[in-house]
Amino acid sequence: ACRTPVSFDMLLGFVERRGRDLDEIRQIPVRIGSMVADYHGPLIDTVQDHFVPRSLHVSETIRDTAPAAVFRKVVTRFHSEVSPIRIAGYDVFRRNAFDADVLVRAFPKWEDGREFYDRAYEKDGSPFVLQQGALFLSRKVRFREAFEYIDRALTLTGRRIPSIRHSHAVILFRANIDSGEDVKAKTVLEQSMKIIEECYDYDKRKTYHARTYADQALKFMERFGDAAAEKYLLKAKKWLAEEQRKTPWHRGIRHLARTVGLALS
């Protein structure tokens, strides 16, 4: 589900300490059968068998419906047993393997998730791992720890990476939208909206920023219901209309645009 092929070397690394011999390991892709296919594309640079799922949708469904305890066991075992140097297309893998929205289910206790991200960062050293760790902690309502992570990621990147700045804005918003201090909260929430506006202006991934901006604008309107909220919704409506023009098939954008329109009316 991480959009990279599984090499025989990776398969070996994942199961070799479980007492399986080579012949038994070779039978695993055979037993899985038509669910996987051989891969011969540009992500590989070694002469060995590589496999990909025939359907990404099926692999993601299996991942998302597996019992949380099983999913956690597989995730922790994979990252402890399989070195990054064994993973084909590791840059692609990294963008999906540490996704907080996915791993939040694997680690019900925030302490276990933080330990996982700490270990992952020790092995990887990438600010993007810190970014996902911060988003994970914010979903667990551990905002102090989340800010520690995202601040480190911002420092490492000189605040130049739009996706990390975007995540910082999201965490700012989540941490303050339910705060009881209206004046202070509003100032911080407006700062979050401004960061996303800046990201939208100079990043190519407009959809990514437009969706978050619209979602936050709706929450801002729900809390404050003032002229500032209307201004954010109007900008969100404009951005979503542009995204609809470019991707008319995108149902998520269509639904969000309707919701924003109703809020404005």
Side-chain angles (χ1 to χ4, degrees):
C2 291
R3 293 166 173 76
T4 53
V6 175
S7 67
F8 186 80
D9 194 33
M10 288 168 63
L11 189 59
L12 186 64
F14 186 67
V15 302
E16 64 184 344
R17 295 190 188 181
R18 300 304 185 277
R20 299 192 179 187
D21 59 35
L22 280 175
D23 286 338
E24 189 178 0
I25 294 169
R26 288 193 182 99
Q27 286 303 307
I28 293 174
V30 176
R31 290 207 316 272
I32 295 172
S34 61
M35 291 183 68
V36 298
D38 292 338
Y39 178 81
H40 304 285
L43 290 175
I44 60 176
D45 58 6
T46 56
V47 182
Q48 59 175 303
D49 291 339
H50 288 79
F51 310 95
V52 289
R54 288 190 184 276
S55 167
L56 184 60
H57 175 71
V58 170
S59 62
E60 289 178 343
T61 300
I62 291 170
R63 178 198 66 194
D64 295 340
T65 57
V70 174
F71 181 41
R72 174 183 172 181
K73 182 178 178 181
V74 171
V75 167
T76 52
R77 184 170 135 197
F78 180 89
H79 285 282
S80 65
E81 303 284 352
V82 182
S83 166
I85 63 173
R86 299 176 94 158
I87 299 172
Y90 183 74
D91 285 348
V92 176
F93 172 86
R94 178 199 283 136
R95 289 199 293 271
N96 299 281
F98 303 107
D99 189 334
D101 289 339
V102 173
L103 293 184
V104 72
R105 195 170 65 86
F107 300 104
K109 295 182 179 179
W110 72 268
E111 298 94 338
D112 294 336
R114 180 174 67 175
E115 183 181 352
F116 169 81
Y117 280 105
D118 281 343
R119 289 182 179 176
Y121 181 65
E122 284 178 16
K123 292 175 79 171
D124 185 283
S126 166
F128 297 104
V129 174
L130 293 174
Q131 173 194 18
Q132 292 303 319
L135 290 169
F136 171 89
L137 289 164
S138 75
R139 288 203 170 278
K140 297 294 184 179
V141 200
R142 301 298 303 189
F143 293 114
R144 183 178 65 81
E145 293 85 357
F147 281 119
E148 288 174 3
Y149 270 55
I150 201 66
D151 286 344
R152 286 164 64 195
L154 286 166
T155 300
L156 286 169
T157 57
R159 298 178 176 267
R160 292 190 300 268
I161 306 298
S163 67
I164 293 178
R165 294 195 67 211
H166 179 110
S167 295
H168 177 225
V170 167
I171 295 167
L172 274 177
F173 198 92
R174 287 177 183 169
N176 289 276
I177 187 61
D178 295 319
S179 168
E181 302 178 49
D182 277 0
V183 176
K184 182 180 177 182
K186 189 174 184 181
T187 299
V188 178
L189 294 172
E190 288 176 333
Q191 180 186 352
S192 171
M193 300 301 284
K194 185 174 187 297
I195 292 171
I196 297 178
E197 287 172 0
E198 291 170 355
C199 291
Y200 183 89
D201 286 342
Y202 66 78
D203 191 21
K204 293 180 180 178
R205 291 167 296 177
K206 305 294 186 188
T207 305
Y208 173 57
H209 303 300
R211 293 184 71 178
T212 298
Y213 192 86
D215 183 62
Q216 292 190 177
L218 289 164
K219 291 182 173 69
F220 194 101
M221 172 60 88
E222 186 177 339
R223 173 156 185 184
F224 297 104
D226 59 7
E230 184 179 10
K231 179 188 71 174
Y232 293 138
L233 283 173
L234 286 168
K235 182 167 285 191
K237 180 181 179 181
K238 178 182 175 183
W239 288 358
L240 291 171
E242 177 62 20
E243 294 308 310
Q244 277 190 289
R245 186 185 64 78
K246 292 188 293 187
T247 56
W249 45 265
H250 201 306
R251 286 184 294 178
I253 293 290
R254 213 162 49 236
H255 173 74
L256 198 51
R258 279 199 302 268
T259 306
V260 167
L262 286 171
L264 281 167
S265 65

